[in-house]
Amino acid sequence: MPDNTFSAMRQSIVDGAPDTAANLAQQAVAAGTSPLDAINNGYVPGMHEVGEQFAKGQMFLPDMMASAEAMRAAMAVLDPELKKVGTERPLSGVVVLGTTKGDIHEIGKILVGTLLTAHGFRVHDLGVDVPGEKFAAKARELNADIVGVSALLTTTMRNQRGVIEALEKAGLRSQVKIMVGGAPVSRRWAEEIGADGYAKDAMSAVDLARELMQQKSAIAEHA
Ligand code: HCB
């Protein structure tokens, strides 16, 4: 796919233009472009630019909402394409996913869920603004292997620790691996709160989830 198409995708997000974003995604699918390339090289850079402009006071909340709408329109086209990869795979593991309490950012988390599904994981997405107890209850109900917690605000990333505490309180911590992510989150933060891993993007989340499943089976073999 030519660079100017990626740059048009990026611009459709900055402009908050859902129809353009969706049309470009359809063209990409028709041209056989990898949906992940379109997301990573086209749409996500647009989101980053929106974040930068918002931080500088050059964009406001309604603009950021329009950009999110454009991203959703592109994802509605690309999501089924991403999921096609996973249809014939054996079950890799069960993941409970959600955005932490106080936080309504969901685009990155949805992308993580889509790629995990595409790579054979069964994903239950709890949505946004999810308290720790709800993660724990769903993990118990589904006998989950992994809990993935997203946070996009510096004020809500500390609630990731709350999810770990809720799993400990429910007596599930030794059975469930925890991975964290989101723009302000880092490997160091993951270590500080006692998570099992950090992923910087959706594809790294798939790699990490696979690694965590290997760790789980190694523990089971030695038990
Ligand atoms: Co929002 N917002 N926002 N926002 N927002 C950010 C996050 C800022 C960084 C923008 C800025 O100031 N530069 C900023 C946070 C500052 C901070 O805390 N340090 C911010 C702010 C301040 C706010 C409000 C407080 C604004 C206000 O009301 N004054 C408000 C908060 C509302 C709330 O949550 N309580 C708010 C609202 C919004 C919306 C609603 C307008 C909209 C979200 C719409 C939605 O999701 N339905 C929005 C958006 C779109 C953004 C930006 C522009 C983009 C976020 C995004 O979708 N990125 C964002 C700027 C930015 O992040 N650079 C800005 C694209 C995805 C693909 O990346 O990082 O989310 P991702 O996910 C990656 C990665 O992190 C990882 O994989 C994903 C896929 O590759 N990952 C995981 C994510 N979760 C994972 C979990 C795992 O287990 C593993 C990996």
Side-chain angles (χ1 to χ4, degrees):
M1 178 124 291
D3 277 356
N4 60 359
T5 307
F6 290 139
S7 112
M9 287 170 170
R10 185 178 134 276
Q11 195 58 42
S12 71
I13 299 297
V14 177
D15 294 342
D19 290 348
T20 312
N23 284 338
L24 288 163
Q26 271 150 7
Q27 284 170 31
V29 171
T33 302
S34 137
L36 202 53
D37 276 354
I39 291 167
N40 288 339
N41 300 323
Y43 299 110
V44 168
M47 276 309 205
H48 287 155
E49 185 170 335
V50 170
E52 278 164 28
Q53 292 198 21
F54 180 80
K56 287 187 207 150
Q58 292 165 351
M59 265 198 181
F60 301 98
L61 195 55
D63 306 311
M64 205 152 66
M65 287 168 83
S67 296
E69 206 45 59
M71 184 75 185
R72 263 199 293 266
M75 288 304 297
V77 178
L78 298 173
D79 228 68
E81 299 301 317
L82 284 168
K83 282 187 176 145
K84 273 184 194 164
V85 194
T87 45
E88 300 296 325
R89 292 178 188 231
L91 180 67
S92 307
V94 177
V95 182
V96 170
L97 206 58
T99 302
T100 193
K101 192 168 164 25
D103 198 324
I104 60 165
H105 294 86
E106 62 179 354
I107 294 166
K109 167 194 59 83
I110 291 173
L111 193 50
V112 169
T114 300
L115 280 208
L116 284 170
T117 306
H119 289 85
F121 286 86
R122 182 149 63 86
V123 177
H124 185 92
D125 189 339
L126 289 169
V128 296
D129 190 18
V130 184
E133 297 71 28
K134 210 166 159 186
F135 279 97
K138 192 48 83 177
R140 185 191 295 287
E141 182 193 324
L142 300 179
N143 196 14
D145 299 297
I146 299 171
V147 165
V149 194
S150 186
L152 265 286
L153 301 171
T154 41
T155 48
T156 58
M157 63 191 261
R158 65 181 73 131
N159 295 334
Q160 291 180 327
R161 196 196 293 270
V163 177
I164 297 177
E165 286 166 0
L167 286 163
E168 277 165 2
K169 210 168 154 193
L172 295 169
R173 184 64 187 97
S174 58
Q175 293 142 248
V176 179
K177 296 284 180 188
I178 298 165
M179 65 176 184
V180 291
V185 177
S186 63
R187 190 172 305 282
R188 199 166 156 190
W189 170 252
E191 282 166 12
E192 193 182 319
I193 63 173
D196 298 300
Y198 153 77
K200 70 171 182 4
D201 58 32
M203 204 51 229
S204 320
V206 172
D207 292 340
L208 174 61
R210 285 173 167 158
E211 195 185 310
L212 295 175
M213 289 307 296
Q214 275 172 9
Q215 287 176 18
K216 275 199 83 178
S217 40
I219 293 167
E221 271 167 33
H222 286 96

